[in-house]
Amino acid sequence: MKSAHGSLPDHRHQNQAAPGPAPPQCDVDHAVLHVTGELDMSTAPSLYRRGTAALSSPDVALILDLSQLSFCDSSGFNTLLRLRRRAQGTRGLALVAPPEQVLRLLALCGDDDIIPVHPDLATAWAETPPRMAGGLPQDGTQQQ
């Protein structure tokens, strides 16, 4: 599969979704990346590029739909943390239905209180506040 942000392996002949992030689904104040398959050292750079592109506008919140993520290695998890840091100057980052493995790692790192986690995309979309955790509040001051 060829995308604007690089090349991912073509797994369509195996009757399964291609690994890595799909192109972002955007509206005025949300960008959603659907991450499927494995998030590892071969797919993490693509997710980071697409995530930082979506975060290029300070008025857009990035929502990562991890409901179809089957595996996440340390480079994939590091990419999630890097995107969280990158999102601090914007409306923020939220995760949708991360696998148990990712939830445990977030808890171990103390990021489970910093990155909002939602059970499904509809909830994440509805509960994205004007300024998300890790972003700038509406008055422009940095949150503690």
Side-chain angles (χ1 to χ4, degrees):
M1 166 175 50
K2 190 77 172 165
S3 74
H5 298 286
S7 180
L8 294 175
D10 186 355
H11 294 282
R12 287 176 287 184
H13 66 281
Q14 297 175 355
N15 199 21
Q16 64 185 32
Q25 166 191 346
C26 299
D27 78 355
V28 174
D29 56 5
H30 295 80
V32 179
L33 284 173
H34 302 274
V35 184
T36 62
E38 299 181 353
L39 182 56
D40 57 22
M41 62 187 287
S42 66
T43 57
S46 177
L47 174 61
Y48 188 74
R49 281 191 305 274
R50 291 175 182 180
T52 55
L55 290 168
S56 64
S57 170
D59 295 326
V60 171
L62 178 59
I63 299 172
L64 297 178
D65 180 357
L66 305 179
S67 62
Q68 298 299 309
L69 185 66
S70 60
F71 174 78
C72 181
D73 73 1
S74 60
S75 59
F77 186 72
N78 184 50
T79 297
L80 297 177
L81 297 179
R82 289 176 59 210
L83 285 172
R84 179 194 49 85
R85 281 193 304 271
R86 187 72 177 247
Q88 287 179 335
T90 68
R91 291 193 48 220
L93 172 72
L95 303 179
V96 172
E100 186 62 34
Q101 168 200 21
V102 172
L103 289 173
R104 285 193 309 265
L105 289 172
L106 287 171
L108 285 171
C109 294
D111 285 324
D112 56 334
D113 290 331
I114 296 172
I115 303 175
V117 174
H118 303 282
D120 55 57
L121 187 55
T123 304
W125 203 278
E127 293 182 2
T128 300
R131 295 288 182 199
M132 294 176 60
L136 296 175
Q138 290 184 352
D139 66 3
T141 60
Q142 184 67 39
Q143 291 180 352
Q144 296 297 326

